[in-house]
């Protein structure tokens, strides 16, 4: 049997379907997109945060990834995303030990956006002779105050965001992996996030 590699590394051994009734399965979509993020140069040019990301040997096998998904808390919930770096901050490897499913709004909240923010710390913008602290909550920017220094603005942002993450952890505790809940409750915003 000839096997076509997906993105040069992924092996679909055809144990499980990639589509049902003409619709791509959630498992295959997640698996394929994960491989694209890690091994497709055009994707990495658009999204440089995925440069140097990789997939574990087990996750390169579609049948393994498919079976793993079936046993994960949150997998069958709409709008839950596959996350690779909540359990281990700055992690670059998609694997069964590092990945969990978390709600989209939590995943977006934890996303590092270096390119978007410029030279100031995350959550901080300059306005006249002051520094504003702002944080997005459900896609809406919340103004946290104006401060004399960027450090004071960042500290306000950090305190607010860490508290907001804990509130969301409590809200989703019953529908996320206990490891994800613990990571969220202990989450620290760093100045270089």
């Amino acid at each position: 049997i000839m096997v076509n590699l997906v993105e040069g590394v992924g092996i679909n051994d055809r144990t499980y379907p990639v589509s049902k009734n003409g619709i791509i399965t959630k498992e295959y979509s997640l698996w394929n997109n994960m491989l694209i993020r890690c091994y497709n140069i055009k994707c990495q040019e658009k999204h440089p945060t995925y440069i140097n990301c990789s997939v574990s040997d087990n996750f390169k096998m579609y049948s393994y990834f498919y079976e793993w998904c079936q046993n994960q808390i949150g997998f069958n919930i709409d709008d839950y995303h596959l996350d690779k770096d909540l359990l281990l901050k700055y992690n670059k490897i998609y694997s069964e030990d590092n990945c969990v499913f978390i709600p989209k709004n939590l995943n977006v909240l934890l996303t590092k956006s270096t390119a978007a923010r410029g030279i100031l710390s995350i959550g901080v913008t300059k306005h006249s002779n002051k520094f504003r602290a702002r944080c997005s909550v459900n896609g809406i920017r919340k103004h946290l105050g104006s401060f004399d220094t960027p450090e004071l603005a960042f500290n306000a942002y950090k305190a607010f965001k860490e508290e907001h993450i804990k509130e969301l952890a409590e809200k989703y505790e019953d529908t996320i992996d206990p490891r994800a809940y613990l990571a969220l409750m202990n989450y620290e915003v760093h100045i270089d996030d």
Side-chain angles (χ1 to χ4, degrees):
I1 295 175
M2 186 132 160
V3 175
N4 291 332
L5 295 178
V6 177
E7 293 302 324
V9 297
I11 300 169
N12 179 2
D13 57 5
R14 308 206 189 297
T15 304
Y16 296 105
V18 299
S19 65
K20 290 179 183 165
N21 301 320
I23 298 169
I24 300 292
T25 64
K26 183 176 181 179
E27 294 88 347
Y28 188 81
S29 180
L30 287 166
W31 183 71
N32 189 53
N33 288 333
M34 172 181 67
L35 293 170
I36 288 170
R37 287 191 295 272
C38 293
Y39 301 105
N40 184 294
I41 291 168
K42 285 183 181 169
C43 175
Q44 292 180 357
E45 286 171 356
K46 278 185 178 173
H47 308 282
T49 56
Y50 292 111
I51 293 172
N52 295 324
C53 283
S54 63
V55 175
S56 72
D57 287 343
N58 285 339
F59 267 23
K60 287 177 185 170
M61 182 72 66
Y62 177 56
S63 59
Y64 183 92
F65 182 79
Y66 185 101
E67 291 172 3
W68 176 84
C69 285
Q70 307 314 307
N71 297 311
Q72 299 311 301
I73 299 167
F75 167 69
N76 284 316
I77 301 175
D78 287 343
D79 255 0
Y80 272 46
H81 286 191
L82 179 67
D83 179 273
K84 71 172 172 9
D85 49 14
L86 171 61
L87 300 182
L88 183 62
K89 199 164 186 173
Y90 310 122
N91 175 54
K92 293 275 196 178
I93 302 169
Y94 285 89
S95 76
E96 60 274 28
D97 296 326
N98 300 331
C99 290
V100 289
F101 287 95
I102 61 174
K104 177 184 177 180
N105 62 335
L106 253 173
N107 199 28
V108 169
L109 186 64
L110 302 175
T111 300
K112 189 173 176 175
S113 54
T114 307
R117 83 164 164 268
I119 60 168
L120 292 170
S121 302
I122 189 168
V124 179
T125 56
K126 188 153 177 38
H127 183 72
S128 298
N129 61 347
K130 294 277 191 181
F131 296 89
R132 282 186 179 162
R134 295 190 293 191
C135 186
S136 289
V137 178
N138 298 322
I140 299 166
R141 238 185 220 167
K142 182 171 175 61
H143 180 72
L144 306 173
S146 294
F147 302 87
D148 292 330
T149 68
E151 294 80 16
L152 289 172
F154 171 74
N155 288 339
Y157 169 82
K158 174 182 169 64
F160 177 85
K161 187 166 180 176
E162 287 175 356
E163 185 58 35
H164 183 55
I165 290 169
K166 285 178 178 60
E167 288 168 6
L168 290 175
E170 294 290 345
K171 175 181 176 182
Y172 293 112
E173 182 179 8
D174 294 338
T175 60
I176 59 175
D177 187 302
R179 298 171 302 155
Y181 173 78
L182 191 62
L184 291 166
M185 293 304 287
N186 293 311
Y187 193 88
E188 283 187 40
V189 175
H190 295 132
I191 201 154
D192 59 348
D193 280 352

